[in-house]
Amino acid sequence: MAAEPEIFELSNGRITAKIASWGATITSLLVPDAQGDLADVVLGFDTLEPYLKGMAPYFGCIVGRVANRIKSGKFGLDGVEYSLPINNGPNSLHGGLKGFDKVVWDVVERKDGECPSITFQYDSKDGEEGYPGDVTVRATYSLPEATALRLDMEAIPANKATPISLAQHTYWNLAGHNSGNILDHLIQIWGKHITPVDENTIPTGEIMPVQGTPFDFTTEQKIGARINDVPGGYDHNYVLDSGDEKNGLKHAAKLKDTSSSRTLDLWTDAPGMQFYTANYVNGITGKGRAVYGKHAGVCLETQGFPNAINQPNFPSVVVQPGAKYKHTMLYEFSA
């Protein structure tokens, strides 16, 4: 049995992250602005209790075994039909009723010093939430530079092929978690296409150019500029097909709050990114009694494409026994 969930701290003197073993969840992240003033730029709660009670709409956690939606909670693999819990309209979302965000992960390594890090491990069992095979999952958070946070995720299936697609579900507000909505944040996304969705938010299978649509963030735009042209708000997977590369990672997005000039550059090796504008957040009381309303944060969830297990033309999310799933995210902050 894993230990009682705890909150751990990573700090390098410039940025300080608090990360819980419950869901490997970022609960707080202090980042300086141009004047050196710190703000907590992630939505969340002060204590573990609200997370444990299921009050968080995936604030800050790692979701899996498969992030995003699987159509009708069904897929076939190696001649076997699998059925998953339905928890989002007619679909299975973020690993089911008790995904990786709602379990205690073990701390298997901690390093202090100039590049502090913490590694969490979770052993997912065959049949858990309907998925096939045992899988060992690891997530390492580190502070590799003065103002950078890195997440390295890996997963190894032991005995059966299985879909695996992990995502980090932090809600960002670079003005500070308690500063209101993110509609005035500027964003650029290095994706020239999205995977459009049907009425149940399941991709149709099409790869649609964003040019000439409200989904075009190939140049920097205010998040709120055209959000009213998108029914419900943004909750769409971008095909990361046009970013510069460095150290094996490609530029996925650049988010900027003009009031504080805090900027986040996100780099990843994943094929897609869910751009989600907290459309369903509705009056949640968070840290310091701040009330989070609609659009209080923005999620930049790099991922495999939604419902890829049922879409042969999407990049495969199936991992064979003994093979290794790997997914890295690098968050670079500046001001």
Side-chain angles (χ1 to χ4, degrees):
M1 242 339 256
E4 284 290 297
E6 295 179 65
I7 295 177
F8 301 88
E9 189 173 287
L10 281 185
S11 185
N12 61 7
R14 290 278 287 155
I15 62 176
T16 301
K18 288 185 179 174
I19 305 163
S21 55
W22 179 261
T25 298
I26 300 172
T27 64
S28 169
L29 186 64
L30 298 175
V31 175
D33 66 7
Q35 279 68 52
D37 293 329
L38 295 172
D40 185 349
V41 297
V42 304
L43 274 54
F45 301 107
D46 288 314
T47 64
L48 281 173
E49 187 184 21
Y51 296 98
L52 299 176
K53 286 185 170 173
M55 293 165 67
Y58 304 101
F59 285 159
C61 57
I62 291 179
V63 293
R65 183 176 302 192
V66 174
N68 217 295
R69 294 168 180 88
I70 292 179
K71 184 177 183 175
S72 307
K74 291 193 184 329
F75 66 91
L77 187 59
D78 293 345
V80 181
E81 287 296 319
Y82 293 96
S83 289
L84 314 174
I86 302 299
N87 63 339
N88 179 261
N91 308 312
S92 192
L93 175 70
H94 291 334
L97 299 171
K98 192 178 181 186
F100 294 176
D101 60 303
K102 295 181 179 67
V103 295
V104 180
W105 297 49
D106 293 309
V107 176
V108 292
E109 188 171 42
R110 285 195 77 177
K111 292 179 184 168
D112 295 318
E114 271 189 24
C115 177
S117 67
I118 185 166
T119 299
F120 297 97
Q121 180 171 311
Y122 178 64
D123 295 306
S124 178
K125 298 300 179 206
D126 182 26
E128 186 177 318
E129 294 298 298
Y131 287 94
D134 299 321
V135 178
T136 300
V137 187
R138 282 196 169 197
T140 299
Y141 289 97
S142 60
L143 303 178
E145 299 156 49
T147 52
L149 170 69
R150 181 180 171 115
L151 169 60
D152 292 285
M153 295 175 273
E154 58 181 54
I156 301 176
N159 40 30
K160 290 181 185 173
T162 179
I164 301 175
S165 178
L166 307 180
Q168 217 301 339
H169 208 297
T170 289
Y171 290 71
W172 300 97
N173 188 323
L174 297 181
H177 74 99
N178 55 353
S179 66
N181 69 52
I182 46 74
L183 297 178
D184 283 339
H185 276 47
L186 298 171
I187 194 165
Q188 184 171 0
I189 299 173
W190 278 272
K192 294 179 181 173
H193 300 80
I194 61 165
T195 51
V197 292
D198 66 16
E199 67 280 4
N200 293 317
T201 328
I202 291 290
T204 61
E206 185 189 355
I207 307 284
M208 184 186 95
V210 296
Q211 189 175 356
T213 75
F215 300 100
D216 189 347
F217 292 97
T218 52
T219 56
E220 193 174 66
Q221 308 283 339
K222 265 191 189 178
I223 290 177
R226 297 160 299 174
I227 196 168
N228 292 333
D229 299 332
V230 180
Y234 294 102
D235 191 7
H236 295 77
N237 174 59
Y238 279 72
V239 179
L240 298 176
D241 55 11
S242 53
D244 296 339
E245 281 211 19
K246 70 169 182 188
N247 303 329
L249 303 178
K250 56 195 171 184
H251 211 168
K254 179 176 192 164
L255 182 68
K256 182 171 185 178
D257 165 52
T258 50
S259 67
S260 66
S261 81
R262 275 188 205 91
T263 301
L264 163 59
D265 281 283
L266 173 59
W267 301 75
T268 189
D269 53 3
M273 183 186 78
Q274 194 81 3
F275 173 51
Y276 173 52
T277 47
N279 312 319
Y280 308 113
V281 175
N282 179 13
I284 298 172
T285 301
K287 288 177 278 195
R289 303 211 55 74
V291 177
Y292 304 138
K294 187 176 185 179
H295 308 316
V298 56
C299 301
L300 305 170
E301 308 156 57
T302 62
Q303 61 181 4
F305 293 2
N307 197 39
I309 189 67
N310 293 312
Q311 280 289 356
N313 62 317
F314 285 1
S316 175
V317 293
V318 174
V319 185
Q320 298 297 327
K324 185 184 280 189
Y325 164 92
K326 294 178 92 163
H327 178 184
T328 293
M329 305 176 76
L330 177 65
Y331 305 94
E332 291 185 326
F333 298 95
S334 55

